[in-house]
Every structure is written in structure tokens, then in C-alpha cells.
Amino acid sequence: MKSIRHAFSFSFLISLGAALLAVAPAAHAQDDLLGQLEKETTDPQKREVVTATFKGTHIINSQSVETPGEGTMAFLIQHRFGTLNSGAYNLFGLDQAVLRLSFEYGITNRLTVGVGRSSQDKTYDGFLKYRALRQTTGARAMPVSVTLFASSAITTLKFNPPTERSTTSRVTYAYQALIARKFSPALSVQLMPTLIHRNFVATPSEQNDVYALGGALRQKITKRTVLTADYYYLLPGNKPTGVRNALGLGVDIETGGHIFQLHVTNSLGMTEKFFVSETTGNFFKGDLYFGFTVARNFTIKPQI
Amino acid sequence: MKRLLSLVLIPLLMTASQSVSAQGKFMTKVGRVTFFSTSIIEDIEARNTSAAAVLDLSTSQLAFSVPVKEFLFKRTLMQEHFNENYMESTKFPRATFTGHFVGLDAAALATPGSHIVKVEGDLTLHGVTHHMTVPGTLELKNGQLMAFALFSVAPADYNIEVPLLVRENIAKIVSIRVGLTCDPVGGSAAPVTRSTSPN
């Protein structure tokens, strides 16, 4: 065994030597100025940030690790029609519509603030998103990007008949760590450990805190089209009664200036509070909401 | 000390002998490359200050290497699309040019002021190479070589596909401006003086 290894390393050395002898004069004769230049400027140790893990700041229901970037304001129109199985009378859901409008502004390349308004339960939400870690290549490469997300939502719905509801009882909080990795230019995967805290629950048996683990992925099919999916698994124990895991499947189409995201999901709501802790539709029984997200970016502070 | 000496000597040698000044090798790693796309709908500009270049006046050869990811745009999304879809900078991280000066008059270069030169060579963008001739200027100033060039490139020639919806937003011909301030390459300062003897 040992001798074989020796023989192998010996022949390897010989061939290496031969290769070097063959290459050296050729390289010299070429006197390649560009090669020389590239050798001086390429630093394999150099760390480079991996960009464009996802096309938009949202995947389907979930936020993605992406942020608009410093000085950029993103305006998002998120739209959900009624369920596809609601029959021809409702034109398969097109008669109904739920909307969320939101603005996201990049204060720095890492920190983003956002506000939104969902028509569902007349809910306002505000959030902070911070890119804590960015995936890099090169020496001591960071394998994943991590974005921390915190949001609070308040419903301004008039309860009928008027009941005693304090302002705090109308508030819900959501906390997420978005952990993503771009495995190849085409494939990105994201994990989202999530905590939803509801200040008010309907029955004493329900827990205020809901825990979930989300997963999402995107796969490019052409340069400008990608397939997306996201899913939230509610951890047993604190699972609210009658609530199902949210699943979404979609297509992102980039048209040049902006991005269209088309999807079907069993969740009607478009913020964490709704899709994690209030999804009731059964995806596989046709309780599917067709929806889309359109994002338009405005440059408030140009980079150059 | 030795470096200090050479720093003092190089400019001295350059002013002392014309043939010496025009034969050095000059280099930069912080060259500036800007491009402009002008259309009826919008103007797009991007700036890169990490271009590396070597200009060898003794052999009339030159080479450029521009890291595509270092282009800064006004709009962050535009920059992302430029890298992701247009230039595919993960696949083709560098734009390069290798070529030579056509009829470079080394003696004339040593006289103050800028001099019009012509460069011929191969431009490689997005994995596609085209031969081209580019006019430019060279000027020797305080021991540094300043180089400028303005030329244009058609994205379609380099297989850079523009989606239909923004076809009117992006110019068919993009103009590129190169501005370099190159320092003499330290290591070759001594060989340069020696190489004057055969002349």
C-alpha cells in the first residue's frame, strides 16, 4: 500500500516537473501584459459580498434577506384575490380583493424601515429590517446572509358591537431571523425562525406567542424569471386552533424596471401576523388565493 | 532609503533624458472608467474607480482589466440588474483590453502637454472579444503618465441582451470614458535606464 502511494507521488512529481518545464518557456515567450496585470490585481483572499440572493424584498408571503439599499425607496403593491374554489358566481375569487400598500426605505445599505397598510382588518404595520451578516466569497467566507426583522401591527377595525378593547390589545408583534444562502446563481434558500406575539387572544386556552419555522427557495428558470416557494411550519404546542401552515408557490418576472411576482397561497394576509398565525385555508383543497406583488423602486439619494 | 532615492531619481531621469521618460512601464490599479447611455427616456451613468492598467511605452503594449462588479450606478436596482442580467458579472467578472499603441512617437511624448495617440487591440466584454481602434491622449506630468480615451461600444455586439420593455431606455451605443493616472512601475526603474544604451 505504502509503495503504491510512493510510486504515485513520484510519478506525480515527474509529471508536475514536466508540466512546469513545458509551460514556463511558453509563458515567458508570450510576455503577456494582461496576464501579468491580472496576476497583480486578482487577490484570491479578497472577500466579495454575494448579491441578489432574491429578486425582491419579498419572496411570496415572507420578507427576503434583501433590502432596497441606501437611498432607495421601494413602493410595493401586494394584492390577493379570493379563493379559486369560491365558484363561478365569484368569478373564482376575482370579485374579492385584499390589498397591502407599503413603503420601504433604505437608510443605509443594511438598515431599512418600512410602513404598510393592509385592507384586512384595517391593519397598519411598521417594521425594521437589518442586514446583520452578508454572504461572502473569498478568504474566511461567510456562508449565509442573515437579516433580522421586527415588525408591529395594529388593527384599526371598529369592533361591532363596540367592545372594551384597549389600544394595546390591538397590537401584534413579529420577530424573525432571515437566514439565506445563494447556493448557485440560480438557487437560493432561506430559513426563517419566527416568533409572533399577540397581545390579545380570543380564548384563554390560546397562547399569546406563536412559534414557526419558515423555509423558502427560489430557482431561476431563465435570466429574468424565477420560481419561488415559501412555507411556514407552526411549531406544535403553541399552535393556534384551526390555523394551518402557510404555503405559497410563485413566479417572479423581472421586466427591466420592476418585478412582478405572481403566486398562489392559502394565506389571505400579507404580513407575518396574518400569514403565520391566522392562515386557515387548506392549500390542497383549493383554498387558494391568487395574488401578485409589484415593486417599484424610487431613487431618493443616488449612489453617485 | 532606496525607494526614496528612486522616487527622487525617476522624475530627474525623466526630465534629463527624453528617451528614458518615454520608455518606462506605467501602471495603476485605481483607474477610472465611466460609461454613459443616453436615450430619449433616460440617461444612465455608471462609474468604476478600480480599473487596473499597464502601459508599457518601451514595447508600445498596454493592457486593461476592469472589475465589472465595481461599477456604481445611481440606482441600486439598476446596478443589480447590470450585474445579474446584462453583464453577468459572476460568470464574466472582468472586462479586459489588450493591445498596442499605433506609431507611438516616444520622443514627442516627452515634450510637455497631451499627445494624441491611437490604440489598437482586443476588447473583451461579457465573454465576447472584438478588435477595435481607439483614439486617446497621453501626457507625461510629474513623472506620472496620464491617459484618456473616449470611445463607444454597442451592447448588441457583445451579446448583451436588452429586454423589450426597456429597449427604449438603453442606448444602442454606449460611450465609455477612460481616465488613468499611472505611476511608473518601481521595479523597472533601473532596467529602464539600462535599456537606453542600445538605442
Side-chain angles (χ1 to χ4, degrees):
Chain A
M1 196 62 196
K2 203 175 181 183
S3 62
I4 290 171
R5 201 192 291 156
H6 269 150
F8 174 74
S9 66
F10 185 64
S11 67
F12 176 71
L13 271 179
I14 295 250
S15 59
L16 188 71
L20 277 177
L21 280 173
V23 164
H28 185 76
Q30 211 175 351
D31 193 19
D32 183 5
L33 212 53
L34 183 66
Q36 213 177 312
L37 185 66
E38 302 239 293
K39 206 160 59 188
E40 257 186 86
T41 50
T42 33
D43 180 6
Q45 300 287 303
K46 197 187 168 203
R47 297 176 79 194
E48 254 181 21
V49 171
V50 174
T51 56
T53 306
F54 290 95
K55 279 218 183 282
T57 57
H58 285 69
I59 301 169
I60 293 171
N61 289 313
S62 298
Q63 295 264 351
S64 75
V65 286
E66 300 295 340
T67 56
E70 187 173 346
T72 302
M73 166 89 80
F75 174 54
L76 277 85
I77 303 164
Q78 291 170 283
H79 199 108
R80 293 280 154 81
F81 292 104
T83 55
L84 294 179
N85 63 0
S86 60
Y89 179 65
N90 290 317
L91 197 61
F92 307 98
L94 294 187
D95 284 356
Q96 268 178 44
V98 169
L99 188 74
R100 177 173 179 264
L101 299 174
S102 67
F103 286 100
E104 302 178 351
Y105 181 70
I107 295 174
T108 68
N109 278 332
R110 287 182 185 268
L111 182 66
T112 297
V113 291
V115 288
R117 165 60 156 73
S118 299
S119 63
Q120 191 179 15
D121 292 353
K122 302 191 184 301
T123 307
Y124 288 88
D125 65 271
F127 64 85
L128 283 176
K129 231 171 138 177
Y130 183 74
R131 296 192 80 126
L133 296 174
R134 309 191 75 162
Q135 187 185 341
T136 54
T137 58
R140 292 186 298 113
M142 177 62 61
V144 292
S145 291
V146 176
T147 299
L148 303 174
F149 173 82
S151 111
S152 52
I154 183 166
T155 166
T156 60
L157 199 66
K158 280 181 186 147
F159 293 105
N160 193 22
T163 43
E164 288 290 311
R165 283 284 294 269
S166 63
T167 307
T168 47
S169 77
R170 292 170 173 272
V171 181
T172 308
Y173 300 97
Y175 303 98
Q176 287 189 304
L178 311 169
I179 306 157
R181 177 167 169 83
K182 191 175 187 176
F183 283 95
S184 72
L187 177 70
S188 301
V189 175
Q190 180 173 293
L191 281 180
M192 304 86 85
T194 305
L195 162 65
I196 309 284
H197 178 83
R198 303 175 290 171
N199 278 355
F200 177 86
V201 283
T203 60
S205 63
E206 290 229 4
Q207 302 286 327
N208 290 85
D209 289 343
V210 176
Y211 299 97
L213 180 64
L217 63 86
R218 80 107 192 235
Q219 169 71 45
K220 264 193 188 176
I221 43 175
T222 72
K223 238 195 272 183
R224 292 182 170 87
T225 2
V226 304
L227 295 179
T228 54
D230 69 0
Y231 180 69
Y232 277 87
Y233 172 71
L234 290 158
L235 297 186
N238 289 25
K239 188 173 170 172
T241 43
V243 169
R244 290 176 186 275
N245 297 334
L247 171 64
L249 300 174
V251 186
D252 290 2
I253 303 159
E254 185 221 298
T255 55
H258 43 242
I259 298 148
F260 282 109
Q261 299 179 299
L262 307 172
H263 36 251
V264 285
T265 163
N266 59 339
S267 161
L268 181 61
M270 287 155 273
T271 55
E272 291 63 29
K273 157 207 155 118
F274 290 123
F275 61 75
V276 176
S277 57
E278 292 177 23
T279 296
T280 50
N282 187 337
F283 194 97
F284 302 100
K285 289 211 170 126
D287 298 334
L288 290 177
Y289 300 93
F290 171 65
F292 61 83
T293 302
V294 181
R296 181 79 191 147
N297 282 9
F298 299 94
T299 304
I300 308 295
K301 220 172 68 191
Q303 282 195 111
I304 53 168
Chain B
M1 193 59 202
K2 213 171 190 178
R3 175 164 288 182
L4 194 73
L5 198 69
S6 68
L7 273 178
V8 176
L9 272 178
I10 291 163
L12 269 181
L13 284 168
M14 285 182 164
T15 44
S17 153
Q18 292 189 348
S19 55
V20 170
S21 63
Q23 288 213 351
K25 203 181 206 179
F26 294 84
M27 189 181 170
T28 181
K29 287 180 184 176
V30 289
R32 194 179 165 105
V33 176
T34 322
F35 73 75
F36 304 89
S37 152
T38 306
S39 72
I40 311 165
I41 298 170
E42 71 177 325
D43 289 345
I44 298 165
E45 181 189 347
R47 200 178 291 165
N48 190 323
T49 51
S50 309
V54 170
L55 289 86
D56 193 340
L57 297 184
S58 50
T59 60
S60 280
Q61 299 284 319
L62 78 162
F64 278 78
S65 176
V66 183
V68 177
K69 278 183 193 160
E70 303 289 329
F71 275 103
L72 268 184
F73 286 69
K74 283 197 175 93
R75 295 167 185 268
T76 49
L77 192 67
M78 212 175 256
Q79 187 170 324
E80 186 181 312
H81 291 166
F82 171 77
N83 284 303
E84 281 278 294
N85 305 332
Y86 293 82
M87 294 295 282
E88 300 178 86
S89 57
T90 316
K91 225 153 100 191
F92 311 108
R94 283 159 190 283
T96 59
F97 181 86
T98 62
H100 57 91
F101 292 102
V102 181
L104 182 72
D105 184 358
L109 261 188
T111 57
S114 66
H115 304 272
I116 293 169
V117 291
K118 211 158 94 183
V119 169
E120 204 186 307
D122 294 321
L123 177 69
T124 306
L125 272 184
H126 193 237
V128 180
T129 304
H130 281 294
H131 192 80
M132 63 196 305
T133 308
V134 176
T137 64
L138 282 183
E139 182 178 4
L140 273 167
K141 210 175 181 183
N142 305 325
Q144 288 179 312
L145 182 70
M146 329 277 258
F148 294 95
L150 184 63
F151 61 100
S152 35
V153 154
D157 290 347
Y158 294 87
N159 282 349
I160 298 167
E161 179 204 336
V162 178
L164 200 64
L165 231 78
V166 289
R167 203 151 282 174
E168 296 303 311
N169 298 48
I170 296 167
K172 302 280 174 286
I173 306 277
V174 173
S175 53
I176 298 173
R177 201 166 69 192
V178 180
L180 311 171
T181 305
C182 305
D183 293 310
V185 178
S188 68
V192 164
T193 44
R194 243 181 277 131
S195 70
T196 55
S197 48
N199 288 0

